[in-house]
Amino acid sequence: MTHFVGQCRLRKLAVTPQRLAIYGALARTDAHPTAEGLYRAIHVRYPTISLATVYKTLETLEREGLISRFSFLHQAARYDANQERHHHRVCIQCGRVEDFTDRALDRLPTGVHQRRGFKVLAQLVQVNGLCRRCKHPAGRSVRPT
Amino acid sequence: MTHFVGQCRLRKLAVTPQRLAIYGALARTDAHPTAEGLYRAIHVRYPTISLATVYKTLETLEREGLISRFSFLHQAARYDANQERHHHRVCIQCGRVEDFTDRALDRLPTGVHQRRGFKVLAQLVQVNGLCRRCKHPAGRSVRPT
DNA sequence: TTCAGTGCAAACGGTTTGCACCGCG
DNA sequence: CGCGGTGCAAACCGTTTGCACTGAA
């Protein structure tokens, strides 16, 4: 937590009790909570906090690289008629998704997970980056259909 | 498309013009469209179709394994204070997410993508399956916080 | 004292649902 | 002709936004 305060100072972010509570609650768990879950956890000891503040704070901390959000392309579900086993290459700029197949990726070892009592059903690889168009800032970046 | 009709017959799904239009539009593209995008594409030639029908149909086709949805955990964003490079093990039953690290996965070859003009920024592996609790149907499955 | 941060309430956008009607099998 | 599928409108739910207030620096 002292480290967190230091990081805030470094980045000229105000160290507010709300931020401490939110980051603290997130750092204290490995359950990958939702914004709502954090809000509920904090609300007990901090009844005046608002859900909007939780969202705004999480956005700030993510932008500053202090936390990360797990939810690829959460804006809208994307569908695919391609039913053969494949992985995804996602352009983080324009949102374009390309399929690719890779026999090697389909055979990633699963022992690590099984040893921890986890039954592996699928392993999906998502390659994030910039597509040809977006790599060269010339082109306009278009949002997907 | 004949194949699609056959699959519908097999599964006792009514072959309606709407379903044909929706599946057809999806099969005809590799752009991983959203429900809305499909709706717009179909609406031109099929002005009476409803967005709700598109959603219901996509859900049906996904349940039957004829198409797939790309949007892991789209219900709500999940946050994580763990900033070291890691991957995710996701229980598809209870939604629990565990982090794991794997040096080998961090070094997956990127040549294939670069050759296609794609600049790789990150490669994320998501291992889907059943966690210890959910593997053995004894335990109740709890939704995440 | 100043401006970033907070809290409220209202808006938003993607998705789901209830229900009456329709048309495939 | 029966029941699964469709279309409409309203509800839902996670998230974002506008705005006035507050408190960290």
Side-chain angles (χ1 to χ4, degrees), chain B residues 9 14-15 17 51-52 55-56:
Chain B
R9 296 256 146 83
V15 180
L51 185 51
Y55 275 109
K56 286 169 183 166

Side-chain angles (χ1 to χ4, degrees), chain B residues 43-54:
Chain B
H43 197 264
V44 184
R45 315 218 53 203
Y46 210 121
T48 76
I49 204 167
S50 128
L51 185 51
T53 298
V54 175

